[in-house]
Amino acid sequence: MMALLSFWSFILVGCFAVSLAGASSLSELYPALWEESPGQFSDFKVENNVYIINPWAYLDRMGMYKILLNNTARYFEKFGPENEQNILWGLPLQYSWQHKTGRLADPSKRTSCGYESGDPLCISVDSWWADVNYFLGALPFLAAVDSGILGVSPDQVKLLPPPKDQMKFCYDVSSCLLSFPEKMTKWNLFYQYMQSPSSNFDGLLKHLWDAHSASLENTGDRFKDRYAYYSKPEEEFGKNWTLIVEYLAASRFPTTMIRVHEAQKGLPPRILLDTDVAPFISDFTSLQNTLLSGVNIVSSTHKLTGSSSLTLWKLLMNTQLARRVIVEIVDRFLFIVN
Ligand SMILES: *[C@@H]1O[C@H](CO)[C@@H](O)[C@H](O)[C@H]1NC(C)=O
Ligand SMILES: *[C@@H]1O[C@H](CO)[C@@H](O)[C@H](O)[C@H]1NC(C)=O
């Protein structure tokens, strides 16, 4: 168990630098096509006083995040300037990583959805990543609408369905509350806590990760028929990644802009192929190879111990002191390497 703990700390240390790392302004770290995405409701199509958003188009889905980040900025002002400390940055940045690495395109390659040669900004419903991301995009957005912080009423927003499997998703506040009550409730609780004057950073992280975990619960499996379109390593990486997120959740990893941006340098820069074996992937950086090996080791340990490694990790991360130690290790390490 100590080995797991030290290994995990090592992974955290290796990945999460907290510096601007060469960027001269925060806007260089924004998700792909952030500036081009809709930033207010009036940028979307309106029909009978209802805003129509197409979450199967890259810019529209990003637009939901942009509105969310804009309208929550004031609650994070007390933690730092320029909205950098907004812990919701993790969501659009991960979505942007999926786009840049080809993970939102049609993995079956039956359509040109998501490819340069066809419609590069199309999001394929056959993409496992895109489907799972829906639960971390549409749901937090609609819950924010429901909680009143976006300034529109719940019956004023409708999302468009994908070309198939429409029953697997929900499209407005009322139907999402009906279909996914636990997930929506957890996001609502986060927004409620965020608005309370006594909210603190650690509490915000706790509520955010609770909602994040709830959104992912049973979600990957809901789209398991998509695995057939991927190589074995990519399928396993997807499954293993949802597991890793549980460990991140327990440590309440601070998903602020710079931290997430730095961490993403360790994520696989393209879809994994059958021949990819970490840490020997020649076109990956050593950080990317190390992170992927780390993902393997944590996943194997998890399975070998029948998930008691996660129970133990949660126990260890139960005190603010332990979580601080992890962040401290990270920051010290960076001080040394920088
Ligand atoms: C939010 O959006 C408004 C209007 O688009 C803009 O003026 C403002 O600067 C934005 N605020 C933040 C924190 O991004
Ligand atoms: C996922 O984890 C399993 C162990 O549970 C491991 O065998 C496999 O190599 C991992 N794959 C990736 C790509 O992380």
Side-chain angles (χ1 to χ4, degrees), residues 40 71 78 94 112 160 166 171 215 253 279 298 302 323:
Q40 45 203 9
N71 284 278
K78 57 183 174 188
Q94 278 299 90
S112 63
L160 294 177
Q166 287 95 349
Y171 307 100
S215 271
F253 178 72
V298 174
H302 183 88
R323 296 191 298 274

Side-chain angles (χ1 to χ4, degrees), residues 18-36:
V18 192
S19 68
L20 259 176
S24 58
S25 100
L26 280 183
S27 60
E28 285 177 37
L29 311 184
Y30 285 163
L33 301 172
W34 182 257
E35 308 292 347
E36 290 82 351

